[in-house]
Amino acid sequence: MSSKRIFVVDVDLCVGCQCCMFACNRRFGEAGLSKSAIHVRSAGGVERGFVVTVCRACLNPPCLKVCPVDALTLRKGGGVILNASKCIGCGNCVEACSIKAVFWDKETNKPIICTHCGYCVDFCPYGVLTLKPVEEEFE
Amino acid sequence: MIKDDPIQNVLYIDLSRRRFWVEKYPELFEKYFGGTGVAINLLHKECPKNIDPLSPENPIIFAVGQLNGLFPLASKTVAMFKSPLTGNLGESHCGGRSSIAIRMAGYGAIIIKGSSETPIYLTIDENGVKFRDASVLWGMGSYTVGRIIRELEIGAGVRTIMRIGPAGENLVSYACVITETYRHFGRLGLGAVFGSKKLKAVVILGKRSIKPKNFKIYREIYNEIFDKATKLPLMRKYHELGTAMNVNPLNELGCLPTKNLSTTRFEDAEKISGEIFAQKYLGRRVACAHCPVSCIHLAALREPYKHEPYFYKTKMVSYDYEPIYALGSMLGIGSVEKILKLMDEVETLGLDAMSTGVVLAWTTEMWKKGMISEKETKNLKFNWGDHETYIKAVRLIVKQPNEFYRALAKGVEVAALKFGGLDFALAFGGNEMPGYHTGPATHVGYLTGSRHSHLDSAGYSLDEKTVKEKLNPKMVGETLFEEEAWRQILSSLVVCFFARGVYKPEIVVKALSVVGYDLKIEDLKRIGEKILKLKYLFKVREGFNLEKLRIPRRIFEVPTPHGYIVEEFIREAVKVYKEKIESLPEN
């Protein structure tokens, strides 16, 4: 089976409900937003639409390159996997991500890395997000 | 309540002394969940008797509830204050990102007291409050101030930006507070209370998490609510045409207030229907934070610039049924474009659209009857459908250049007491009328509802459901009382009233089990009644009396689907409601 990742199908379908953000947080057994690996904000006022920030599963990810302790390893299909026990919380990965899709968990002092599980996709009522095999399409 | 839930933190802000502190109220939140239930208790405590609503003593209370941040459609914030419009209970609900931002910043309520000598805005996060100078922002319209603060402050996506326009600064009694550009603490004049404190804006941001008691059950109930919210036909209607879908059916039924309720059928209703708004103008639909419904409808208004050919601007204007009624049919404006232009002006100035429309409708009738002259109107000539005059008039209401506009700025009742025309001044308990002339129940609801809002007890819905039946005052009074008492629970959680079909009592019981409650539906009903009683105690404390309510004669002169309304029926139903309220224990 080929690896899957999250795609933003059409950002103009987004209504800004942020149900994806809350869904992501629930993966950790909590309600709220502090552990969400996806972020939705307006593009300068809701009338201008929304910006959906989520890991795009780079095949050659900058976040991985700057980790000084090899806490991040390449994920099959792109993106990275975090080994929290190695992570020293330096935050280099957050800085390195060009699209700012590495978020920070203040409680654990570690990055929040998208695992491309697709749980957020199930809670996007408008089809903005989808989980698809990596090779299937361009963005 | 979940153990150590930060909801019990109440943030106090004193604008006069530029100080803030947090007090914990675990018992209060345990007993009343949050929202309305908590806010009314805090209002009793923090608002001294008989104060001027525009004095520094008037507290602004924002409260969220235990379900905010946990469940979808729990997306509202309750504001409480003493209303400058009615002189008693001020309560207004708003969505946008306000409730999530307050909850995620780690507060259950925020109380703003005192007043600043110079214009100010606040930035609130989990660490407390920053007092920022707003001298430069003072005088700005609501869109512009939002645009500036968006750039100045951090937290895009997890913040709310509440602000007022010039109407609030100039203390118009029905000035609103705007959040996220298109949502409002609309009714009862919170904007004027902000203005009286020289408070231009409040930014709140946060990104916390909350641990539910039993995570497995939490997920199950979450999914059940989410499924209902996204699949039920009753929620689809809010999403598709939105509340504007009401225009056509209400017109056909003969209950669309038109031209100051001189009639209930508008000849141009079809031209301003929800269908036309959506087909020709709908530019984008957006949602409140944590609500998949996306009922917010934004129309794209494309306007050419006059000074240069082929040069256009496209403005986005939010619309809903109530503003279409108030600034459309009520003023005889039968063109979407003209209504949008007027709505846009009202939004920029930061006025409540509903009160503004009713005030302008009364003014037009006064003009047509020759009861006011150019001296009062500053040379404006009021005619139904003339949106350009109405745009000039709303600016004058904000500027208040003479006695007449000063009176208009205090609401239609004050204006009519001074200039006449009380019989067709459509206010109930001092609050201007909502857009339903469906029968007796809706008016009983306007009179008895603790906010004098159609959403207090949904009398219009009772009228509509019983069109072919004969209503009796006892049934109307009791039904409205029960409905209003139940809604106190929803607004304490705080669930959007549009989600009342999803959050039925049995679902509420389940959702509350996730945060540690073991309650029965009967328990909830009792708590709802208790909250309603507390609200009434506040109203009565401030001089409100159900027996002394003025009923505008106009409502008896225009037929409804239930025929002509009879005054005795209304008075009797109000009496039944009053007895229900009085029969409740005081504590």
Side-chain angles (χ1 to χ4, degrees):
Chain A
M1 201 185 80
S2 60
S3 306
K4 291 181 173 179
R5 77 164 176 95
I6 290 163
F7 286 85
V8 177
V9 180
D10 179 357
V11 76
D12 284 316
L13 287 170
C14 181
V15 298
C17 70
Q18 305 183 321
C19 289
C20 55
M21 293 165 66
F22 285 94
C24 186
N25 208 79
R26 286 199 301 286
R27 294 177 313 132
F28 301 94
E30 291 183 18
L33 295 172
S34 69
K35 294 181 189 303
S36 182
I38 185 167
H39 189 77
V40 177
R41 64 173 170 86
S42 80
V46 294
E47 67 273 28
R48 288 172 183 81
F50 297 91
V51 177
V52 179
T53 306
V54 63
C55 172
R56 68 176 302 281
C58 304
L59 293 172
N60 192 9
C63 56
L64 180 144
K65 291 178 203 165
V66 297
C67 179
V69 292
D70 295 330
L72 296 173
T73 49
L74 196 65
R75 173 185 166 269
K76 193 181 165 230
V80 291
I81 296 165
L82 171 72
N83 181 345
S85 64
K86 280 189 178 177
C87 175
I88 55 166
C90 69
N92 284 358
C93 50
V94 173
E95 292 299 315
C97 178
S98 322
I99 59 168
K100 297 291 161 220
V102 178
F103 299 93
W104 198 253
D105 185 338
K106 282 202 270 184
E107 204 182 5
T108 59
N109 197 40
K110 306 248 183 289
I112 304 165
I113 301 287
C114 174
T115 61
H116 295 272
C117 70
Y119 194 63
C120 55
V121 176
D122 297 338
F123 291 89
C124 175
Y126 299 102
V128 179
L129 303 169
T130 187
L131 188 71
K132 276 188 183 176
V134 172
E135 61 273 19
E136 204 162 280
E137 63 179 275
F138 295 105
E139 270 172 289
Chain B
M1 191 167 69
I2 296 169
K3 192 171 173 289
D4 299 329
D5 189 332
I7 197 148
Q8 59 192 288
N9 294 334
V10 175
L11 175 66
Y12 280 79
I13 302 168
D14 181 347
L15 296 178
S16 307
R17 295 185 299 151
R18 300 280 200 275
R19 294 193 44 196
F20 69 89
W21 64 96
V22 173
E23 290 181 22
K24 287 192 187 292
Y25 286 88
E27 294 89 15
L28 192 57
F29 279 90
E30 179 67 39
K31 204 165 165 189
Y32 294 102
F33 312 123
T36 298
V38 162
I40 187 59
N41 278 281
L42 293 173
L43 189 69
H44 274 285
K45 180 167 176 280
E46 302 294 340
C47 182
K49 261 183 209 174
N50 299 322
I51 53 158
D52 174 354
L54 300 178
S55 68
E57 287 76 37
N58 195 8
I60 296 169
I61 300 167
F62 294 112
V64 296
Q66 290 182 49
L67 299 194
N68 294 112
L70 270 95
F71 288 104
L73 296 99
S75 52
K76 291 263 185 172
T77 304
V78 170
M80 270 201 201
F81 48 97
K82 182 170 175 178
S83 166
L85 186 64
T86 64
N88 56 70
L89 178 69
E91 180 187 353
S92 189
H93 304 170
C94 181
R97 296 206 192 103
S98 60
S99 78
I100 298 300
I102 295 171
R103 185 83 162 107
M104 295 290 116
Y107 306 107
I110 298 171
I111 301 176
I112 304 173
K113 309 209 285 188
S115 87
S116 177
E117 277 186 34
T118 52
I120 191 172
Y121 82 90
L122 305 174
T123 304
I124 299 172
D125 64 15
E126 59 185 352
N127 299 315
V129 183
K130 298 231 164 39
F131 299 86
R132 312 239 206 242
D133 179 62
S135 307
V136 179
L137 306 177
W138 204 249
M140 281 180 185
S142 69
Y143 294 105
T144 312
V145 66
R147 226 161 147 161
I148 291 172
I149 291 179
R150 266 203 295 277
E151 301 291 321
L152 286 176
E153 297 290 335
I154 59 163
V158 292
R159 67 185 176 193
T160 184
I161 303 176
M162 305 174 178
R163 67 266 201 179
I164 58 168
E169 294 174 12
N170 289 0
L171 311 178
V172 176
S173 297
Y174 44 93
C176 68
V177 171
I178 296 148
T179 75
E180 286 62 89
T181 322
Y182 301 106
R183 297 290 91 189
H184 311 88
F185 290 102
R187 311 226 67 195
L188 300 175
L190 181 60
V193 182
F194 264 55
S196 71
K197 297 185 180 311
K198 287 273 193 297
L199 181 60
K200 182 68 179 175
V202 179
V203 184
I204 307 164
L205 63 133
K207 232 187 148 177
R208 298 179 73 110
S209 286
I210 302 144
K211 281 198 178 77
K213 283 232 151 171
N214 180 328
F215 187 68
K216 196 170 154 280
I217 295 172
Y218 167 54
R219 256 203 214 196
E220 274 170 31
I221 297 168
Y222 187 101
N223 292 351
E224 184 182 348
I225 292 171
F226 193 87
D227 266 6
K228 282 203 168 88
T230 46
K231 290 184 187 126
L232 278 185
L234 94 162
M235 297 316 289
R236 284 201 78 85
K237 66 180 190 180
Y238 286 121
H239 163 66
E240 286 170 354
L241 288 180
T243 56
M245 75 194 156
N246 281 328
V247 175
N248 271 338
L250 285 175
N251 186 58
E252 280 157 26
L253 207 57
C255 33
L256 176 67
T258 301
K259 298 172 190 167
N260 203 34
L261 192 59
S262 57
T263 172
T264 51
R265 285 201 171 85
F266 183 32
E267 65 271 20
D268 288 330
E270 288 207 7
K271 293 186 199 157
I272 61 164
S273 66
E275 288 80 355
I276 298 293
F277 264 89
Q279 287 158 14
K280 300 204 167 153
Y281 293 89
L282 182 55
R284 196 179 280 284
R285 277 190 304 215
V286 297
C288 294
H290 213 179
C291 174
V293 177
S294 79
C295 75
I296 307 165
H297 286 58
L298 305 182
L301 176 65
R302 183 173 179 249
E303 288 182 280
Y305 281 98
K306 289 197 178 102
H307 68 282
E308 199 181 318
Y310 306 115
F311 197 35
Y312 296 91
K313 66 172 166 184
T314 303
K315 291 209 78 173
M316 301 294 263
V317 185
S318 84
Y319 66 86
D320 261 303
Y321 170 69
E322 295 293 341
I324 297 174
Y325 134 76
L327 300 173
S329 68
M330 199 62 164
L331 302 176
I333 303 178
S335 140
V336 173
E337 202 170 311
K338 291 174 182 172
I339 294 174
L340 288 173
K341 285 180 184 171
L342 179 56
M343 281 178 179
D344 189 47
E345 189 66 28
V346 167
E347 189 88 271
T348 304
L349 295 168
L351 290 158
D352 173 41
M354 292 163 73
S355 287
T356 303
V358 172
V359 165
L360 293 172
W362 171 85
T363 307
T364 309
E365 186 159 344
M366 289 291 283
W367 172 263
K368 289 193 153 299
K369 289 196 154 99
M371 295 167 76
I372 46 173
S373 68
E374 278 99 340
K375 181 175 156 276
E376 281 81 31
T377 66
K378 288 275 197 191
N379 298 318
L380 292 186
K381 296 172 176 59
F382 285 86
N383 283 300
W384 301 123
D386 178 4
H387 74 291
E388 284 176 350
T389 298
Y390 291 130
I391 287 173
K392 288 178 191 153
V394 290
R395 290 177 187 156
L396 291 173
I397 288 173
V398 172
K399 282 194 177 145
Q400 302 165 47
N402 66 11
E403 185 87 16
F404 181 66
Y405 286 103
R406 273 195 293 281
L408 289 188
K410 290 197 159 46
V412 77
E413 187 141 321
V414 170
L417 282 167
K418 205 163 240 172
F419 292 89
L422 206 53
D423 287 349
F424 51 88
L426 291 158
F428 296 80
N431 191 17
E432 284 75 15
M433 176 187 170
Y436 304 87
H437 188 55
T438 44
T442 199
H443 292 287
V444 176
Y446 304 158
L447 290 162
T448 57
S450 48
R451 302 182 296 155
H452 307 286
S453 156
H454 60 299
L455 288 172
D456 282 327
S457 50
Y460 62 93
S461 170
L462 179 57
D463 283 331
E464 283 166 5
K465 280 185 206 146
T466 55
V467 162
K468 298 216 156 57
E469 299 162 37
K470 201 168 152 47
L471 285 167
N472 71 70
K474 187 164 183 293
M475 178 271 220
V476 168
E478 287 175 355
T479 309
L480 295 184
F481 167 81
E482 267 170 42
E483 181 65 26
E484 190 174 2
W486 168 247
R487 288 186 182 208
Q488 307 313 309
I489 294 297
L490 296 181
S491 65
S492 297
L493 294 174
V494 177
V495 168
C496 176
F497 284 171
F498 285 0
R500 60 188 180 270
V502 174
Y503 281 86
K504 296 261 170 68
E506 48 283 9
I507 295 281
V508 171
V509 166
K510 275 198 207 174
L512 279 171
S513 74
V514 172
V515 291
Y517 287 91
D518 180 16
L519 293 168
K520 296 186 180 62
I521 292 172
E522 275 314 305
D523 301 328
L524 286 176
K525 288 190 170 165
R526 262 200 304 282
I527 298 167
E529 287 173 356
K530 196 170 167 56
I531 296 168
L532 184 56
K533 175 78 176 189
L534 283 168
K535 283 163 68 169
Y536 253 87
L537 285 174
F538 184 84
K539 286 175 80 74
V540 171
R541 191 193 94 173
E542 298 299 324
F544 180 77
N545 187 341
L546 275 169
E547 275 167 30
K548 289 192 179 149
L549 279 172
R550 181 183 76 86
I551 306 176
R553 307 303 308 164
R554 175 57 50 83
I555 70 163
F556 304 120
E557 296 161 6
V558 181
T560 74
H562 284 271
Y564 284 97
I565 296 170
V566 182
E567 181 165 2
E568 289 68 41
F569 184 112
I570 302 276
R571 297 273 180 208
E572 183 56 31
V574 170
K575 210 174 130 206
V576 171
Y577 178 97
K578 185 169 181 277
E579 283 163 8
K580 292 293 279 184
I581 289 281
E582 282 172 354
S583 72
L584 297 172
E586 290 216 359
N587 48 49

